[in-house]
Amino acid sequence: MNRWKLWLPLVLFAGFCLVAVWPLLHPPSSDIHSQLIGKPLPQFSLKPASPDLPGVSTQDFRDGKPKLLNVFASWCVPCAAEAPQLGQLQRQGATIVGIDLRDRPEDLAQFLAGNGNPFARIGADDIGAVQLGIGSSGVPETFVIDGQGTIRYQHIGDIRQDDVAMLLGKLKEAES
C-alpha cells in the first residue's frame, strides 16, 4: 500500500475544515450600498414632517452647496444614538436635511425635543418610497449630496464620534 493513501483521509478532513471555517473567519459584508452613488438623486418631493421646518425635494439639493441627507425615524434606537454627532456636524457647518421614515408627527416632535434638532429641513416619507428610491435599506443612513444633487457617499448605520471628521471631509470633497 502506498504511504500517501494513509494520509488521504486526513488531507480530505483538513480541506473540509478549511472550507467550513473560512466563511466564519471572513464573513461577507451585509451592508447593501446604494446603486445611485455617483448618480443624481431621483425626483421626489416630501411634505414637511414637522410644522416648524419645510419639507424636502430634489431641488433643495441643487443650490450649489453640499449637504448631508439623513434617513432616520423616532422609533430607531441607533438614530437617537447618532443625534449628538449630527448636532456636532451641524455646529461645524454641515447642512443636514432629514427624511423621517414612517413616523407620526407627535413621535417626531418628541424625538427632536429629546435629542436635539440639527435639521434644516425634514420631509415625511410615510411609505418609504424615497428611502428605497435613493437606495437606502435601513435607518439610520446618511448620504453626502453635492451641490448639483449627485449622491457622492453613503454612510450605513449610525454616525459615531470617529465618523464626524470623515463626513466633514466628504462634504469638503463634494464642494469640488
Side-chain angles (χ1 to χ4, degrees), residues 1-17:
M1 179 179 225
N2 295 332
R3 294 188 74 150
W4 66 271
K5 288 183 180 179
L6 292 173
W7 292 95
L8 185 60
L10 182 62
V11 170
L12 290 174
F13 181 72
F16 171 77
C17 289

Side-chain angles (χ1 to χ4, degrees), residues 40-173:
L41 279 171
Q43 290 292 324
F44 66 88
S45 179
L46 296 174
K47 68 182 181 190
S50 169
D52 303 332
L53 295 171
V56 180
S57 75
T58 306
Q59 291 306 105
D60 299 322
F61 296 93
R62 295 187 178 151
D63 62 358
K65 298 175 186 170
K67 297 174 180 58
L68 295 177
L69 174 61
N70 181 256
V71 182
F72 75 103
S74 68
W75 42 263
C76 161
V77 174
C79 297
E82 76 173 0
Q85 287 70 248
L86 286 174
Q88 186 177 359
L89 285 162
Q90 189 248 349
R91 286 189 297 279
Q92 293 187 31
T95 301
I96 305 170
V97 174
I99 292 180
D100 184 29
L101 188 65
R102 294 183 217 119
D103 227 334
R104 297 184 312 181
E106 59 271 19
D107 293 336
L108 174 62
Q110 187 174 6
F111 178 84
L112 295 175
N115 296 295
N117 183 1
F119 301 103
R121 301 173 162 271
I122 303 175
D125 192 4
D126 295 333
I127 60 172
V130 173
Q131 179 202 23
L132 294 176
I134 62 175
S136 170
S137 59
V139 289
E141 285 191 19
T142 303
F143 295 84
V144 175
I145 313 295
D146 71 15
Q148 286 72 48
T150 300
I151 300 172
R152 292 285 198 94
Y153 177 76
Q154 178 185 22
H155 180 85
I156 297 174
D158 57 314
I159 298 170
R160 301 198 176 168
Q161 187 60 44
D162 295 344
D163 301 321
V164 170
M166 180 271 300
L167 285 170
L168 289 170
K170 294 288 184 186
L171 278 171
K172 188 77 174 167
E173 287 174 17

